[in-house]
Amino acid sequence: YGVYEDQAIQDYVSEIGQRVARQSDLPANEFKFLVLDDESINAFTTGCCYVYVNRGLLLQLNSEAELASVLGHEIAHVTARHPQRRQTQGILASVLATGAAIATGSSAVAQLANLGAGAWIQGYGRDNELEADRLGLVYSAKAGYRPEAMAETFEIFKRGESFEIARARAEGREPRIYHGLFSSHPAPNARAIQAAKGAAKLEAGPAGGWVDNRAEYLRKLDGMVYGSSRAQGIVRDNRFYHADLGVTMAFPRGWTIENRRDRLVAYTVAKDAYMQVFPGAVPPNMGPREFLLTQVLRGATVRGGEQVNANGMEGYSVLTTTGSRLDGGAGPVRWTVLFRGKDASIFEGASRSSNGGMPEADGLFKSVAQTLRALRPAEFPLAEPYRIRVKQAGENTDLASYAAEVPVEKYQKEELLLMNGLYPDKKLQPGALYKVVE
């Protein structure tokens, strides 16, 4: 994932997490809180005592109390030993799968057993999530945070999840949603919130009042990266810019470009052609041909090998007779690698249909690889990320006027409404702080 390179944000999230952790059932344990450089909406724990929060989740929250409720939920997974239980279940599932294979003499049975076990232990399960909600609510209340904020956080996730599921269905992809059931099971009702106040012995609230800290939280977000970070590279229109690598490349106009954690993915509207670009490291004393055949394709049936040169970079290109991701692996794939110093860029392209053993868009795939080049001095600002800016609403402020600045293909207004807790149709109140993208 990579750690988000903003020490002020790291310190702020850690301070809130430590405040809540000191009120947990493991107050003496040394908890670590880290913000990850990832735009997806997620938080998770790997066990005692590490809690991770994606920067994408921070942008969806609107108060310190909401963040405290999320951290309390993850801390509760640790104190209730949910990660350890899940690990034990995974070991048990593997043992059972091995036993089934021995008893039947069938590797297929082992594979099926492992598939079933994997589905069984995925996530913590509803009971564990509900327990984490209950304990986390108590921990954050004991730390002085307004308990109702957890219910509001649920609503944020529910609205976001509903929108993401509908959007993913329309775009023909899997939805990217929160890791557990935090967004799909019932939010704490008034009785649960009152019980948490009782457990914290703060039914009437702490002496100084419940902590919410909306304004302070939003001001901490001012300047935070939105979308891809500088370290991940930036997509603008049909071109990709990476300042740290000092390179840029272009894809056909009209294609969708996704900057994923480990690769660039680009595809047509009809999804009948796609490309992927992977980074690689060049081994000592190895040329492009040997690298492509032995490090990337590893024994695949290839034909039509040729040396290539793009903007001073040496490379090699071949076709594999099969391997297309669009037709169950039956179709051909164009592979190209380009060397730039010790870095390799690996291009993969395939079409749903082919001609003469070549992908239908083979010429296009070759031309995309030829666009890879060094950034020009004037282009480095284009490799800087979009950022969140926090503003104060006036009498006639309308979020829709900022929608065009949001770097997504569609649903820009909905993105802003979700980010500000206003989706689907709430209005900004005069004087309120709100988030935009610049």
Side-chain angles (χ1 to χ4, degrees):
Y1 287 86
V3 174
Y4 182 53
E5 298 293 342
D6 186 325
Q7 194 58 47
I9 285 289
Q10 295 287 351
D11 291 345
Y12 179 61
V13 172
S14 180
E15 177 187 345
I16 298 166
Q18 298 296 349
R19 191 179 304 163
V20 176
R22 284 194 293 270
Q23 304 302 324
S24 75
D25 295 312
L26 295 173
N29 283 39
E30 185 180 355
F31 278 81
K32 302 285 187 182
F33 299 88
L34 280 174
V35 179
L36 300 180
D37 189 14
D38 193 285
E39 63 180 304
S40 59
I41 301 170
N42 200 8
F44 60 93
T45 176
T46 54
C48 193
C49 293
Y50 292 86
V51 174
Y52 301 90
V53 182
N54 289 1
R55 59 174 167 80
L57 173 59
L58 297 180
L59 297 184
Q60 297 298 315
L61 303 178
N62 285 284
S63 75
E64 193 173 295
E66 290 174 356
L67 176 57
S69 72
V70 171
L71 298 178
H73 176 92
E74 300 303 333
I75 291 166
H77 277 311
V78 174
T79 62
R81 298 181 60 80
H82 294 160
Q84 290 91 328
R85 292 181 196 174
R86 185 166 61 172
Q87 183 181 35
T88 301
Q89 290 171 346
I91 294 170
L92 175 61
S94 296
V95 170
L96 291 174
T98 304
I102 293 171
T104 62
S106 169
S107 60
V109 169
Q111 291 170 358
L112 287 172
N114 272 319
L115 284 173
W120 173 49
I121 63 172
Q122 187 176 19
Y124 288 114
R126 186 180 180 87
D127 289 344
N128 285 174
E129 293 290 349
L130 287 169
E131 184 178 21
D133 294 342
R134 178 180 58 80
L135 292 173
L137 185 58
V138 172
Y139 299 160
S140 59
K142 283 185 175 180
Y145 288 104
R146 186 169 60 87
E148 290 81 4
M150 177 174 274
E152 293 161 8
T153 306
F154 272 82
E155 291 305 314
I156 290 172
F157 288 134
K158 285 181 178 179
R159 289 192 296 266
E161 183 182 81
S162 297
F163 176 74
E164 171 62 14
I165 289 172
R167 179 177 175 177
R169 187 183 297 117
E171 296 174 355
R173 59 170 174 81
E174 289 296 315
R176 295 183 283 270
I177 56 178
Y178 186 72
H179 78 88
L181 300 176
F182 203 42
S183 53
S184 57
H185 63 68
N189 58 25
R191 288 183 60 188
I193 291 171
Q194 193 57 41
K197 292 178 179 179
K201 297 182 174 57
L202 293 169
E203 291 90 338
W210 293 108
V211 176
D212 194 60
N213 283 356
R214 173 182 167 84
E216 180 180 354
Y217 179 81
L218 291 177
R219 289 194 175 99
K220 292 287 186 181
L221 298 187
D222 191 46
M224 178 174 274
V225 167
Y226 174 91
S228 297
S229 67
R230 190 178 192 272
Q232 296 163 340
I234 307 300
V235 175
R236 294 183 186 271
D237 296 323
N238 68 319
R239 186 168 280 276
F240 175 73
Y241 302 88
H242 201 297
D244 290 350
L245 296 178
V247 297
T248 181
M249 72 181 77
F251 292 90
R253 290 196 177 276
W255 282 40
T256 297
I257 306 171
E258 295 182 4
N259 186 11
R260 298 184 183 174
R261 187 177 302 117
D262 59 345
R263 72 193 70 185
L264 276 174
V265 180
Y267 48 87
T268 61
V269 174
K271 297 184 178 177
D272 55 1
Y274 79 89
M275 289 195 74
Q276 296 196 93
V277 186
F278 309 84
V282 179
N285 304 316
M286 183 174 288
R289 180 181 181 277
E290 183 183 1
F291 175 83
L292 188 58
L293 298 180
T294 65
Q295 304 297 307
V296 180
L297 301 179
R298 292 188 180 133
T301 303
V302 302
R303 66 183 185 85
E306 58 181 317
Q307 292 183 339
V308 296
N309 185 293
N311 301 303
M313 290 174 283
E314 296 297 324
Y316 198 75
S317 184
V318 299
L319 284 167
T320 56
T321 57
T322 58
S324 169
R325 301 170 192 264
L326 295 177
D327 53 13
V333 180
R334 167 63 62 183
W335 291 89
T336 302
V337 65
L338 292 171
F339 280 9
R340 188 170 183 267
K342 295 181 180 180
D343 295 320
S345 295
I346 305 153
F347 297 79
E348 171 195 358
S351 303
R352 193 173 299 281
S353 57
S354 57
N355 294 314
M358 293 188 295
E360 190 173 56
D362 192 50
L364 189 61
F365 301 149
K366 288 182 176 181
S367 68
V368 168
Q370 289 288 330
T371 69
L372 182 66
R373 61 170 173 78
L375 275 174
R376 298 167 184 144
E379 292 176 317
F380 274 88
L382 296 173
E384 292 299 320
Y386 293 88
R387 295 187 183 274
I388 293 294
R389 295 301 174 195
V390 175
K391 301 177 181 291
Q392 189 168 29
E395 289 290 337
N396 301 309
T397 301
D398 183 4
L399 273 179
S401 64
Y402 297 96
E405 296 294 319
V406 181
V408 294
E409 288 186 52
K410 47 190 175 182
Y411 309 118
Q412 290 99 328
K413 179 182 176 182
E414 289 82 357
E415 184 76 12
L416 282 180
L417 289 170
L418 285 165
M419 190 190 308
N420 285 282
L422 300 173
Y423 184 83
D425 54 12
K426 292 182 181 178
K427 303 296 183 185
L428 274 172
Q429 298 301 310
L433 296 179
Y434 63 97
K435 295 170 277 190
V436 298
V437 181
E438 293 182 352

